Amino acid sequence: MTLKLGIIGTNWITKMFVEAALATKQYELVAVYSRTEAKGQDFTTNFAGDQAVWTDLNDFLQSGIDVVYIASPNSLHFEQAYAAIEAGVNVIVEKSAFDNPEQYEKIYSLLQKNPTVKLFEAARHIYQDNFKIIEQKVNQMAHISGATFVYEKYSSRFDDYLAGKKPNVLSREFSAGALADLGVYPLYAAIKLFGLPDDQFYFATLLDNGADGRGTVILRYPKFDVTLIFGKSANSYELSEIHGRRDTIVIDNIAELGEVKYDDGQGNVTVISQPAPDNPMVQEAEFFANILQNKLQTPNDYEEATILSQKVNLVLTKLRHSAGIKFPSDQ
């Protein structure tokens, strides 16, 4: 059986996810929701088959889809996911899934009333084989002294901001900014590897509109700190590292996970990663499909993914508030 997939959002990341989903042979793209018929029709030309285009959300959700992938602006995630769950449709929502724990609690309560529906946050890197290799190596290290994760990439929309425009991805009104976008990757990695921190601090570089263009996060654990450096207003080519005592895991990019090395501190450096997939979303799409089709051998995987997503949401909110960044939904 293939899952009937509908998508909300017609941008490049939606195209990448659909390509990944189709590559698993477990999905069929059947429906596209777009604000305009023209944009929706244009998106369907990327794929074979006959996809219906909808401009009414309720009609789209009632069209017979099994699962919806939501890649709209962050501020719309809650409303659209809530409507999908009420309609009995499984949800895959792009990071960051929801603005704050209050929104997440409402979603969780609705899921409890609709036990056949599942919700996933799309954080692609933690499902990749190379992340699992990092996780295994961390568990083998005798001591952790700390870590630094870097993901700083100049946004194609930053030129628009400099020109006086108001791009959604750099706007508090759309629940966006550096932390809510690129910052989610290193934060997800830190919490997946080390758990919830005892404390967290965000030193944000704010734009004129009050959104964060870049920033540095310090996560405090009982015996070490983890530093996260990320942003959308510059490019960084710094490596990410996890420190033992003498030994170190060296990662070329904490989000892309192209190459991972283990340096034992005694002159021996080993590449421990596998070749990165052409499409980094295939493994997460397969993970979601396996859960929806009851193919997973470990029954707690869905619960663990949900708890991790909630932990990330909690820390994201605390970090934003520590930097004085408020979204409209925080009111």
Side-chain angles (χ1 to χ4, degrees):
M1 150 183 188
T2 57
L3 296 163
K4 294 180 180 179
L5 172 66
I7 59 101
I8 296 177
T10 54
N11 51 37
W12 66 270
I13 200 166
T14 312
K15 181 175 181 290
M16 181 183 290
F17 180 82
V18 173
E19 290 170 347
L22 296 179
T24 71
K25 309 297 184 185
Q26 296 196 69
Y27 300 82
E28 175 190 5
L29 179 63
V30 299
V32 174
Y33 171 75
S34 176
R35 288 174 297 174
T36 67
E37 178 86 13
K39 282 187 177 180
Q41 292 292 351
D42 185 61
F43 184 84
T44 65
T45 62
N46 294 294
F47 305 99
D50 184 21
Q51 297 91 28
V53 175
W54 304 89
T55 56
D56 181 273
L57 182 63
N58 290 328
D59 290 345
F60 165 76
L61 293 173
Q62 297 293 336
S63 66
I65 59 177
D66 299 311
V67 56
V68 58
Y69 171 75
I70 300 175
S72 54
N74 292 349
S75 59
L76 303 179
H77 289 179
F78 172 76
E79 176 186 349
Q80 292 169 345
Y82 199 97
I85 296 167
E86 283 194 313
V89 177
N90 297 292
V91 175
I92 301 168
V93 58
E94 259 304 327
K95 53 81 192 157
S96 51
F98 306 114
D99 290 355
N100 49 49
E102 289 75 22
Q103 284 192 349
Y104 218 126
E105 181 58 36
K106 292 177 181 178
I107 290 290
Y108 186 77
S109 296
L110 186 62
L111 287 168
Q112 298 302 104
K113 297 175 184 177
N114 295 270
T116 62
V117 178
K118 289 183 168 55
L119 176 134
F120 308 91
E121 183 171 19
R124 64 178 188 262
H125 58 319
I126 66 166
Y127 297 104
Q128 292 183 37
D129 288 339
N130 284 341
F131 191 89
K132 296 173 185 177
I133 290 170
I134 294 169
E135 198 168 15
Q136 291 170 358
K137 182 58 72 174
V138 166
N139 291 334
Q140 294 168 3
M141 294 171 73
H143 180 84
I144 300 296
S145 296
T148 300
F149 295 153
V150 181
Y151 193 37
E152 190 160 9
K153 190 175 180 181
Y154 190 83
S155 171
S156 60
R157 300 296 185 183
F158 200 74
D159 287 340
D160 289 341
Y161 164 75
L162 293 175
K165 299 178 183 178
K166 299 180 180 179
N168 295 349
V169 297
L170 293 167
S171 166
R172 286 183 298 118
E173 287 67 34
F174 286 93
S175 306
L179 176 63
D181 185 5
L182 299 190
V184 178
Y185 290 99
L187 182 61
Y188 240 106
I191 295 178
K192 183 75 166 69
L193 293 171
F194 309 119
L196 279 173
D198 289 348
D199 210 346
Q200 55 278 308
F201 307 93
Y202 182 30
F203 304 96
T205 301
L206 299 181
L207 305 176
D208 292 340
N209 62 8
D212 51 326
R214 69 181 307 277
T216 300
V217 162
I218 305 295
L219 304 177
R220 305 226 70 178
Y221 290 87
K223 295 184 178 180
F224 59 86
D225 292 340
V226 175
T227 302
L228 316 178
I229 302 169
F230 49 85
K232 299 170 71 69
S233 59
N235 286 316
S236 174
Y237 304 98
E238 292 290 332
L239 300 172
S240 294
E241 295 183 332
I242 301 169
H243 306 284
R245 290 206 190 275
R246 294 177 181 271
D247 56 339
T248 305
I249 299 173
V250 182
I251 308 160
D252 66 339
N253 185 302
I254 194 59
E256 307 302 334
L257 304 175
E259 184 177 70
V260 183
K261 297 179 180 179
Y262 178 69
D263 188 326
D264 68 0
Q266 301 179 54
N268 301 305
V269 180
T270 307
V271 175
I272 60 175
S273 55
Q274 299 178 1
D278 291 335
N279 187 322
M281 304 179 87
V282 170
Q283 287 168 315
E284 70 168 354
E286 187 170 34
F287 176 85
F288 302 150
N290 286 342
I291 289 178
L292 293 175
Q293 305 211 62
N294 298 312
K295 293 182 179 180
L296 283 188
Q297 296 179 354
T298 49
N300 294 329
D301 280 354
Y302 173 65
E303 288 76 12
E304 290 175 0
T306 301
I307 291 170
L308 177 60
S309 175
Q310 290 173 313
K311 288 179 178 179
V312 170
N313 177 267
L314 174 64
V315 178
L316 274 173
T317 304
K318 289 182 176 180
L319 288 169
R320 274 199 301 107
H321 291 177
S322 78
I325 301 170
K326 297 293 182 71
F327 292 158
S329 59
D330 292 331
Q331 305 304 320

